[in-house]
Amino acid sequence: MTSENYPGELEMFRGLVRVLRIAARNEDMPEVQRLLWDHARDEADAYAQAQVAPDPTAADLERQTALMAGIRQEPARRWKSGRAVGLLRRLGYHPISPRTASRDLAALAGAGLLVMHEEKGVRWYEVAARRPHPTTKHTGNS
C-alpha cells in the first residue's frame, strides 16, 4: 500500500508516465517538456485543493521545464546563471537567485538537455546536440 500526498496522485503519475513513454519514443522533446510542465501545474493545483504543502521537486521541475523552453528559443547562446535568472524572472518566477538558476542549469545538463563547458573560473551551458534516432542510417563519403 502506498500513501499519496493528495487524492489521485498515483493515478495522475501513472497517466503522465504513459504519455511520456510515447513522446519519448518519438523523441518529441517539446511535447515531453509540455507534458511535464502541465503535470507540474496540475500537481500544484491538486496540492492546493488538498490543502497540503507541495512537493518541492514539482516546483523545481516546472521551473526547469520553463527554463529549458526559454533556452530553446535562443539555442545558440551561452547560458550562465545570470542569463538564466533574467529569463526566469521574465517568465514570472520570483524570487530567483543565481544559485537556484545554477542548480537548474546543472539539472538540465544532468538530464542531457544542456552541455556544460568549463574554463578556469567560468562555467556555461549550451543546448545539447540532438542525438539521431537509433534507426536512422547515416551515409557519408568518409
Side-chain angles (χ1 to χ4, degrees), residues 18-135:
R18 281 192 296 270
V19 294
L20 279 175
R21 284 182 180 147
I22 294 166
R25 212 175 287 134
N26 294 330
E27 295 187 19
D28 188 352
M29 282 310 298
E31 179 67 2
V32 168
Q33 290 174 339
R34 187 194 66 76
L35 290 166
L36 290 172
W37 197 341
D38 288 350
H39 174 74
R41 188 175 41 250
D42 292 345
E43 188 170 58
D45 290 344
Y47 273 109
Q49 288 176 3
Q51 297 181 350
V52 295
D55 177 2
T57 58
D60 291 347
L61 180 58
E62 178 186 354
R63 188 183 61 251
Q64 291 163 5
T65 302
L67 176 60
M68 190 64 212
I71 288 172
R72 287 195 184 281
Q73 299 299 311
E74 305 176 54
R77 299 186 79 173
R78 289 182 173 188
W79 287 89
K80 296 192 240 177
S81 60
R83 180 170 283 146
V85 165
L87 173 60
L88 287 167
R89 288 180 180 165
R90 285 191 306 276
L91 294 172
Y93 291 90
H94 297 280
I96 292 293
S97 70
R99 182 179 171 125
T100 297
S102 182
R103 283 195 310 258
D104 288 349
L105 290 167
L108 293 169
L113 299 171
L114 298 177
V115 175
M116 182 182 75
H117 300 278
E118 281 190 287
E119 291 178 6
K120 189 173 183 172
V122 180
R123 176 181 296 163
W124 75 92
Y125 297 83
E126 293 178 315
V127 175
R130 188 169 179 176
R131 295 186 310 254
H133 193 277
T135 60

